[in-house]
Amino acid sequence: MICMPKNPAVRRFYLRVAATTSANIALNILVALYFYKFRPHGPAAYVLAILPAVAILWFIVAIGQYLVEDKDEFQRNLMVQVLLWGLGGVLVLTSAWGSLETFAHIRHFNPTYTYTLFWIFAGISVPFLNRRYR
């Protein structure tokens, strides 16, 4: 049984997250398969290639809606801290990688992984923030 929170803002946020994450995964798979099978060119290729990023935009809108709807100031603050840690982790990693590319000539970083890395860093921050506010 799935335990849904009692807070309606959090419940709506979880549903939006599930929808946008599912859309992102589905769009990534469908676009990759379409490119593999049909090899589109020109404007159609550009439009198809950016479709998965639209789901990321929906996710950002979902976060903004949550921050507006939730009445619990502490929970909103906690979400902002998680987002800041995720952003900070991505900024440090991609900046360090860029320096390594420039000076040590390592392999190029694929920006497609930035969104995933952001959520990895955000997820890593959660237990530390929870322990901090215990």
Side-chain angles (χ1 to χ4, degrees), residues 1-126:
M1 183 172 152
I2 298 175
C3 297
M4 289 297 283
K6 293 180 182 175
N7 183 335
V10 175
R11 196 170 32 247
R12 285 190 297 271
F13 176 67
Y14 283 176
L15 293 173
R16 289 176 189 140
V17 166
T20 58
T21 302
S22 299
N24 183 270
I25 292 168
L27 286 170
N28 272 304
I29 291 169
L30 292 172
V31 167
L33 290 173
Y34 190 84
F35 269 87
Y36 179 76
K37 184 166 180 143
F38 298 108
R39 305 200 192 297
H41 299 285
Y46 291 108
V47 170
L48 286 169
I50 63 168
L51 273 179
V54 173
I56 295 172
L57 177 62
W58 292 338
F59 197 97
I60 293 168
V61 169
I63 291 170
Q65 288 174 323
Y66 166 74
L67 292 173
V68 168
E69 293 172 357
D70 197 357
K71 304 295 183 221
D72 188 341
E73 207 170 297
F74 176 75
Q75 290 300 322
R76 285 193 321 245
N77 182 28
L78 197 59
M79 173 64 85
V80 169
Q81 287 184 51
V82 166
L83 296 172
L84 286 172
W85 278 106
L87 181 61
V90 167
L91 284 172
V92 168
L93 181 77
T94 55
S95 296
W97 197 289
S99 293
L100 288 168
E101 282 182 24
T102 301
F103 302 117
H105 307 290
I106 67 167
R107 184 174 179 231
H108 178 66
F109 174 75
N110 185 347
T112 306
Y113 301 125
T114 306
Y115 181 68
T116 304
L117 285 171
F118 170 78
W119 286 112
I120 288 170
F121 283 117
I124 289 169
S125 74
V126 170

